[in-house]
């Protein structure tokens, strides 16, 4: 399949935007270099990022330099993203700048892949199959930009959204909001930060009732010295 064929299937399924969520720490590294980074590139550039439990698997599956997008805003559907509270929304036309052959769509979340899982089980290979089976509501079907060795420019970025855990002592959120706004102000791109306006679900508050999860998603991590 060509990049344009994959993009057309997405458009035919009413996909106009691509969504990536991450932690505050990792998002600040994106803002520092002007675009989304694959996990591998972030390490190569010696920028802070929050460890993920799938890192070892991603290396073993040779996807550590891939960038993953959803075709639906997960927070609107489930109330919570396990990847973090910072949402980067791109226009689908960002796919036009990706090297030919470097766009793929997974059939299942890579965390479910085994050593025995073959390419045809991991990805849609044939156009007919993708056209018939693609489901924008299936969160395992990730739009994947493979082998990304440079930042994915914010030229096509439409918005950044930060969720508010709404704790009684909300200092982690307030600090994160402040430093993200400072990073945006220092950027050469025309961006602004939105605070999540749509409904918060019980699952969201249940997740951030866990202090370890709250710290992991909202702390500045390696960017703490930038305060």
């Amino acid at each position: 399949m060509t990049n344009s064929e994959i993009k057309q299937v997405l458009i035919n399924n009413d996909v106009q935007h691509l969504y990536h969520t991450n932690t505050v720490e990792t998002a600040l590294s994106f803002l520092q270099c002007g675009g989304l980074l694959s996990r591998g590139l972030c390490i190569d550039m010696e920028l802070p990022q929050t460890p993920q439990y799938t890192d070892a698997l991603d290396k073993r599956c040779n996807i550590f330099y891939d960038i993953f997008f959803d075709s639906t805003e997960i927070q609107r559907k489930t109330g919570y993203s396990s990847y973090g509270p910072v949402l980067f929304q791109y226009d689908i036309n960002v796919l036009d700048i990706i090297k030919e052959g470097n766009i793929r769509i997974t059939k299942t979340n890579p965390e479910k892949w085994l050593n025995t899982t073959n390419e045809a089980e991991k990805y849609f290979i044939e156009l007919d199959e993708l056209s018939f089976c693609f489901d924008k509501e299936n969160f395992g079907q990730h739009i994947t930009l493979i082998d990304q060795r440079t930042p994915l420019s914010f030229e096509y970025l439409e918005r950044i959204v930060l969720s508010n855990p709404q704790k009684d002592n909300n200092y982690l959120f307030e600090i994160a909001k402040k430093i993200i706004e400072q990073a945006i102000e220092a950027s050469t791109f025309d961006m602004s930060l939105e605070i999540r306006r749509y409904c918060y679900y019980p699952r969201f508050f249940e997740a951030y009732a866990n202090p370890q999860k709250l710290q992991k998603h909202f702390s500045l991590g390696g960017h703490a010295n930038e305060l």
Side-chain angles (χ1 to χ4, degrees), residues 70-127:
D70 295 305
S71 53
T72 298
E73 190 175 344
I74 291 178
Q75 294 95 319
R76 287 189 182 274
K77 295 293 183 178
T78 69
Y80 168 76
S81 170
S82 61
Y83 298 105
V86 187
L87 167 73
F88 293 86
Q89 177 181 305
Y90 273 72
D91 186 285
I92 194 173
N93 289 322
V94 70
L95 299 181
D96 295 339
I97 68 172
I98 303 303
K99 180 181 176 183
E100 184 61 44
N102 279 24
I103 302 174
R104 308 188 81 175
I105 299 182
T106 61
K107 290 183 175 179
T108 60
N109 192 311
E111 68 180 12
K112 298 180 180 179
W113 295 353
L114 306 175
N115 291 335
T116 55
T117 307
N118 62 42
E119 287 295 293
E121 293 171 320
K122 294 176 180 178
Y123 299 101
F124 290 100
I125 305 298
E126 301 296 334
L127 179 60

Side-chain angles (χ1 to χ4, degrees), residues 80 165 167 172 202-218:
Y80 168 76
K167 311 297 289 184
L172 282 175
R203 183 184 178 204
F204 176 86
F205 295 110
E206 290 166 3
Y208 290 126
N210 181 323
Q212 288 77 31
K213 177 70 71 175
L214 183 71
Q215 180 74 22
K216 179 179 180 180
H217 278 196
F218 284 90

